[in-house]
Amino acid sequence: MRDTRESRLLLVLLIAIAFALITVDIRGGEDSPVDGARQAAATVLGPVENGMSSAVDPIGNAIGAVRDSGDRHDRIAQLERQNAALKARLGSDDRNRSRVRQLDSMLKTAGAGQYGIKGAEVIGIGAAQGFSWTVTIDAGADDGLKRDMTVLNGDGLVGRVTTVGPSTATVLLANDPDFTVGTRMEKTDELGFASGQGDRPLRVQMLNGKAKVKKGDRLVTFGSQADKPFVPGVPVGEVVRVDPSGGDLTRNVFVRPYVGFSKLDVVGVVVEAPRKDPRDTVLPRKPGKPKPAPTVTVTATPSGDAPADGTGDGTVDGTGDGTGDGTGDGTGDGTADGTGDGTADGNGYDNGNEQ
């Protein structure tokens, strides 16, 4: 459409008409003369608007979802980090509680045996040192450790120190085939030598081939000269099998060690030996048999007339009624078994009349 004078006049006329309709609509309010036209337009154009809205809404929702996805992803990532932190904290708390229990048990064992110990943590196992059963601990010469010191934990004998560095040390475990320790049987004091067998029970060679040993008997370390490499009284294990002696000078028994060598964590190195042999005091106390309840037997003593000779039945306190026919007070001195004698001299006299 060309920009001519007629087009301009038409545009001005349309604008004037629009303003006039707007003025009439506003002044008419709900009774506006153009209300019918508006409703008709809404009836015709409403479905078109709904169709356009239905077509546009998914696009708008998608755009909103894309816009909000970044915030949601950040929130999920934050929750995942918090969850991981809580799991790590829970695992750390469980481990700390386990270590506290181990340390408490070890201190009780050291206190029972009067051992001066240096606490340490297992930081490595012995693959790097060959095929032997060894562990590395985080204490060394700087902590006062020396070679051939006894190593224990809350359960009993762990092993002995073999190599010492400035801040670490190597411990040969008691289940190593090259490990040997002198043992003493609880109560009977029978001596022997225990050797490691890897993941099998310790093999103990008893010096007395006729020693009376049974399943369940317990052993402790016998101790070494100058307390190196072993201090006395450290729990070793419990007998699980006894081989028949067969007339040999020695006999073999097999002992399940108290220590779990595959789950070592906190250990103690004995840096000061006890002043005297603790013997069996470090072993845990066995549950005792319940004491039998005392029984009380009550015997009723029947009362009745005393026989003619004036002898009456005495009560527990030794006093008996000796009253009979022809006698006076038949009270006599009771004997130890509670029998009262109603006569003083056997003739029927005791503050009574002669029959």
Side-chain angles (χ1 to χ4, degrees):
M1 185 177 178
R2 295 182 180 180
D3 187 12
T4 61
R5 183 177 181 181
E6 290 80 3
S7 62
R8 292 179 182 178
L9 289 174
L10 180 60
L11 178 60
V12 171
L13 180 61
L14 292 174
I15 294 174
I17 293 171
F19 275 105
L21 292 174
I22 292 173
T23 302
V24 173
D25 186 36
I26 293 175
R27 288 183 179 181
E30 295 180 356
D31 297 331
S32 172
V34 298
D35 186 59
R38 184 186 302 112
Q39 291 180 1
T43 302
V44 175
L45 299 177
V48 178
E49 291 177 351
N50 290 334
M52 292 297 295
S53 176
S54 299
V56 174
D57 282 347
I59 300 176
N61 293 336
I63 294 174
V66 172
R67 183 178 62 250
D68 296 338
S69 63
D71 296 338
R72 293 176 181 172
H73 183 271
D74 293 341
R75 178 60 176 165
I76 292 174
Q78 181 182 3
L79 292 175
E80 288 178 347
R81 288 194 297 270
Q82 291 177 356
N83 191 27
L86 289 174
K87 288 182 178 180
R89 182 178 178 182
L90 180 62
S92 178
D93 290 344
D94 289 342
R95 185 178 183 186
N96 289 337
R97 283 193 291 269
S98 175
R99 287 187 172 184
V100 168
R101 289 193 298 268
Q102 293 181 52
L103 181 60
D104 181 65
S105 177
M106 184 176 67
L107 291 177
K108 288 181 180 179
T109 298
Q114 296 298 304
Y115 307 123
I117 63 172
K118 173 65 179 179
E121 180 184 354
V122 175
I123 58 175
I125 56 177
Q129 294 125 347
F131 296 99
S132 59
W133 290 75
T134 60
V135 295
T136 301
I137 59 177
D138 62 350
D142 296 342
D143 303 291
L145 270 59
K146 297 179 181 179
R147 185 178 178 181
D148 287 337
M149 284 185 168
T150 307
V151 182
L152 53 78
N153 66 3
D155 298 323
L157 180 66
V158 173
R160 62 181 176 86
V161 177
T162 56
T163 305
V164 179
S167 59
T168 61
T170 301
V171 178
L172 183 67
L173 301 180
N175 64 335
D176 187 272
D178 293 332
F179 186 95
T180 302
V181 58
T183 62
R184 184 174 56 79
M185 192 73 65
E186 180 185 14
K187 296 181 180 179
T188 64
D189 293 336
E190 293 287 352
L191 303 181
F193 291 96
S195 301
Q197 296 193 116
D199 55 0
R200 294 180 295 169
L202 304 177
R203 177 177 175 271
V204 180
Q205 187 177 37
M206 305 298 298
L207 298 184
N208 181 7
K210 298 181 180 180
K212 295 181 179 180
V213 185
K214 65 182 183 300
K215 184 178 180 180
D217 287 346
R218 302 185 296 179
L219 295 86
V220 299
T221 56
F222 177 69
S224 306
Q225 186 176 6
D227 299 314
K228 289 187 177 181
F230 302 108
V231 294
V234 180
V236 175
E238 184 176 305
V239 175
V240 292
R241 193 176 92 234
V242 180
D243 282 355
S245 61
D248 296 333
L249 296 178
T250 61
R251 70 183 312 182
N252 294 326
V253 300
F254 296 88
V255 174
R256 181 181 65 246
Y258 289 124
V259 173
F261 298 105
S262 62
K263 52 183 180 180
L264 293 172
D265 188 7
V266 179
V267 299
V269 182
V270 181
V271 295
E272 183 178 352
R275 294 182 179 179
K276 62 179 182 178
D277 188 348
R279 303 187 70 80
D280 302 334
T281 59
V282 187
L283 285 168
R285 180 175 298 178
K286 289 184 177 180
K289 296 182 179 179
K291 294 181 178 180
T295 57
V296 179
T297 303
V298 179
T299 303
T301 303
S303 60
D305 293 339
D309 60 357
T311 302
D313 292 334
T315 60
V316 175
D317 60 359
T319 303
D321 288 337
T323 304
D325 294 338
T327 62
D329 289 338
T331 303
D333 294 334
T335 61
D337 60 356
T339 303
D341 188 0
T343 62
D345 56 2
N347 296 321
Y349 291 94
D350 185 13
N351 295 328
N353 297 323
E354 185 176 0
Q355 185 174 1

